[in-house]
Amino acid sequence: MPSGRKRNYASPLREKAAEDTRARILASAKALFSRLGIDKATIGAIAQSAGVAESTVYALFKGKEGLLGALMEAALFGDRFAAAAKHVEGEEDPVRAIALTAHVSRAIYDGERAELGIIRGASAFSAALRKQEQRFEDIRYSMQEARIDRLFAAGRQHEGLTRDEARRVMWMYTSRDVWRLLVEEGGWTPDRYQSWLSETLVATLTRPTP
């Protein structure tokens, strides 16, 4: 009986220790990626900074791309994204859900800028960064499918627009390139970007109300 209680206590402690180790490794990777760039930072340096063995880093993240992927996931799909996505999921009107997509996009790029801005500056030509960006673009494209399906199921799509065309148009307008051109290079505020994107998505993808 006492041994059973020990196991019950030990399991949460082990989980907490594993979470702490993972967090330390990610924090070290983020710091070194920001200072040295993704390509120059080594697993050995990350492990040493985190106070763990290299084998622990490989066991948890498989390598540098796994570390970068975990950092990008936390930045792009963190608390900002979760709050925005919750609004979309709870919206019954498919046209309104299309409009709220702008909030989701802003949340993604706000999080990316806040958490990964320095890393991007230090790793502008990194092949590993490009590969992870493409992976998350595929995820983003897949996540938008349900909103387009709801729009078409309700017959509220813009006249002459096919389902595949609608998905591609939404994906294009919500892309990082549009955010970069308007906000980072064009000087728009995130509020202006969100308002413009919301109006543009509705005008382009939905049938006008009679």
Side-chain angles (χ1 to χ4, degrees):
M1 190 69 155
S3 62
R5 284 198 298 268
K6 287 179 182 178
R7 283 196 295 272
N8 289 338
Y9 283 118
S11 181
L13 288 174
R14 283 197 298 269
E15 291 177 4
K16 178 64 164 58
E19 290 173 3
D20 289 345
T21 298
R22 190 176 189 277
R24 285 204 317 277
I25 293 171
L26 286 175
S28 296
K30 182 178 179 181
L32 287 172
F33 287 164
S34 298
R35 182 161 57 87
L36 302 176
I38 295 166
D39 295 340
K40 291 183 179 180
T42 65
I43 295 295
I46 292 168
Q48 183 178 14
S49 175
V52 301
E54 287 187 44
S55 59
T56 300
V57 179
Y58 282 109
L60 290 174
F61 298 100
K62 310 305 180 186
K64 202 182 296 186
E65 287 189 5
L67 284 165
L68 181 59
L71 287 171
M72 290 184 68
E73 182 174 352
L76 274 64
F77 303 127
D79 292 341
R80 292 178 177 87
F81 168 82
K86 186 175 181 180
H87 284 296
V88 175
E89 291 167 3
E91 178 56 58
E92 296 182 0
D93 181 353
V95 174
R96 179 63 182 156
I98 295 296
L100 287 172
T101 296
H103 187 192
V104 176
S105 293
R106 176 188 173 170
I108 289 174
Y109 300 127
D110 268 345
E112 182 183 63
R113 181 168 60 172
E115 300 296 329
L116 301 178
I118 298 176
I119 293 178
R120 284 189 174 282
S123 307
F125 301 104
S126 170
L129 179 60
R130 299 283 86 77
K131 183 176 180 179
Q132 289 299 319
E133 285 178 341
Q134 183 56 56
R135 183 169 77 88
F136 281 100
E137 278 296 287
D138 293 342
I139 292 173
R140 194 174 62 80
Y141 180 67
S142 177
M143 290 171 65
Q144 294 177 347
E145 183 176 15
R147 270 164 268 165
I148 295 297
D149 284 346
R150 287 176 57 197
L151 186 71
F152 274 70
R156 299 296 305 279
Q157 73 274 13
H158 200 286
E159 187 176 357
L161 199 62
T162 68
R163 180 179 172 279
D164 185 62
E165 288 170 344
R167 287 192 71 191
R168 291 286 171 179
V169 167
M170 176 182 278
W171 190 44
M172 179 272 293
Y173 273 124
T174 59
S175 69
R176 177 183 292 106
D177 284 340
V178 172
W179 163 273
R180 176 180 57 81
L181 289 170
L182 296 179
V183 179
E184 295 179 1
E185 297 184 15
W188 281 24
T189 64
D191 281 344
R192 184 181 179 188
Y193 162 85
Q194 182 177 330
S195 178
W196 168 84
L197 181 58
S198 180
E199 293 173 2
T200 300
L201 289 174
V202 169
T204 308
L205 297 175
T206 73
R207 187 188 302 275
T209 303

